[in-house]
Amino acid sequence: MKKILPLILCAAISTAAAGASAAAAEIKTAPHDTVFTQGPVNPYGKFFTGTSYLHMLSENDSVFNAPIGNVTFEPGARTFWHKHSGGQILLVTGGEGRYCERGQKPRVIKKGDVVRIAPDVEHWHGAGPDTWMTHISVETNVPNNKAEWLEPVSDEDYLGK
Ligand code: MN
């Protein structure tokens, strides 16, 4: 038993390493400094069109009540339409993207921009059609802040046609 165990461990480790490097190879790195870690493919991808990446900079807890995440969007990627019952503040740290509120045309947002999204305003945010974009998302008025996800942003709405 003592002789078999290391072999099993070794096999498990090499399999895990192969899996990790394959996953890493699929992650495209933004062609700009994301300042904070870009992170893995966004686990909330079912509410996004295209590929985005999420790295939580500060997980929520009852001491701070302030979840802060770094979100990077590939060209063309954007959230679905959605709203936050407690609002949201976006700090754009890299690239150029789009922000749009219901009933308006998308507007360009770029590195250095701050977007304050009032509670319950329907909106979407994402990359430009040909440009990556990274923003930090700050959820405000936590714990009384829930995201409600709506329909995908059509190509027509995305392009502001
Ligand atoms: Mn939002």
Side-chain angles (χ1 to χ4, degrees):
M1 193 62 192
K2 279 181 184 173
K3 285 181 180 173
I4 294 170
L5 192 56
L7 283 174
I8 293 169
L9 277 176
C10 190
I13 289 166
S14 63
T15 303
S21 62
E26 290 169 15
I27 293 178
K28 295 181 216 159
T29 305
H32 57 252
D33 182 3
T34 58
V35 185
F36 296 94
T37 301
Q38 178 178 299
V41 171
N42 191 344
Y44 300 99
K46 65 178 178 181
F47 301 121
F48 289 64
T49 296
T51 303
S52 60
Y53 304 85
L54 171 66
H55 174 64
M56 288 307 295
L57 302 177
S58 185
E59 295 280 357
N60 189 42
D61 61 38
S62 61
V63 174
F64 295 100
N65 288 305
I68 301 171
N70 195 38
V71 190
T72 298
F73 299 81
E74 287 188 0
R78 66 270 191 182
T79 66
F80 283 14
W81 285 101
H82 65 284
K83 55 187 177 179
H84 309 270
S85 62
Q88 180 184 36
I89 297 173
L90 306 177
L91 309 172
V92 184
T93 53
E96 185 180 294
R98 300 289 184 275
Y99 171 72
C100 185
E101 295 183 357
R102 188 82 79 177
Q104 300 180 359
K105 292 290 185 190
R107 67 179 172 88
V108 172
I109 54 175
K110 58 186 189 307
K111 180 179 176 179
D113 285 345
V114 177
V115 182
R116 288 155 54 95
I117 306 163
D120 293 320
V121 170
E122 292 186 9
H123 68 280
W124 58 265
H125 29 109
D130 304 307
T131 52
W132 288 68
M133 188 272 286
T134 299
H135 69 49
I136 290 170
S137 161
V138 180
E139 291 174 55
T140 46
N141 294 299
V142 174
N144 301 309
N145 190 349
K146 283 191 175 173
E148 184 179 336
W149 295 96
L150 307 166
E151 78 278 15
V153 177
S154 67
D155 287 345
E156 208 168 52
D157 282 354
Y158 175 63
L159 297 172
K161 290 180 177 172

